[in-house]
């Protein structure tokens, strides 16, 4: 009996999914289909591959605001915000992502 209940519950939870997907960060990485981990040549490396910020030649800053699903009937204001900062120094780098 417990096995049948477990199977039914696992199938039910497996079919449920979130209505909103994480679209990623940055125009170039999203345009590449989020296959940006190997390239890692900008401040967006903090999001996709943090080891890539060590190879940046200069400090970089990026901020973005994306309004998602505008015009919903419940007047909600869904948005996605990112702030990136990277400060490379020789072979060491410090990065910040919020």
């Amino acid at each position: 009996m417990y096995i049948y209940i477990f199977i039914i519950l696992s199938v039910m939870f497996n079919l449920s999914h979130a209505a909103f997907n994480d679209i990623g960060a940055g125009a170039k990485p999203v345009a590449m289909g989020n296959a940006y981990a190997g390239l890692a040549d900008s401040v967006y490396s903090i999001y996709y591959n943090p080891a890539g910020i060590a190879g940046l030649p200069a400090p970089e800053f990026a901020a973005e605001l994306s309004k998602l699903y505008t015009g919903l009937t419940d007047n909600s204001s869904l948005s996605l915000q990112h702030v990136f900062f990277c400060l490379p120094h020789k072979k060491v780098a410090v990065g910040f992502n919020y």
Side-chain angles (χ1 to χ4, degrees):
M1 180 69 172
Y2 293 114
I3 294 173
Y4 293 124
I5 293 172
F6 176 74
I7 291 171
I8 290 171
L9 288 176
S10 64
V11 169
M12 286 174 45
F13 291 126
N14 197 14
L15 296 177
S16 65
H17 61 278
F20 304 106
N21 295 326
D22 181 17
I23 58 172
K28 183 178 178 181
V30 172
M32 293 175 63
N34 290 333
Y36 189 73
L39 184 59
D41 64 348
S42 71
V43 71
Y44 295 110
S45 303
I46 298 170
Y47 187 84
Y48 294 97
N49 181 7
I53 63 172
L56 295 178
E60 291 188 25
F61 174 80
E64 63 181 49
L65 170 67
S66 303
K67 287 291 194 181
L68 305 174
Y69 308 105
T70 57
L72 294 175
T73 57
D74 64 350
N75 294 326
S76 60
S77 178
L78 300 174
S79 63
L80 179 67
Q81 304 98 12
H82 287 284
V83 176
F84 298 96
F85 178 72
C86 178
L87 183 64
H89 180 69
K90 297 184 182 178
K91 292 189 177 186
V92 178
V94 175
F96 171 77
N97 175 19
Y98 177 74

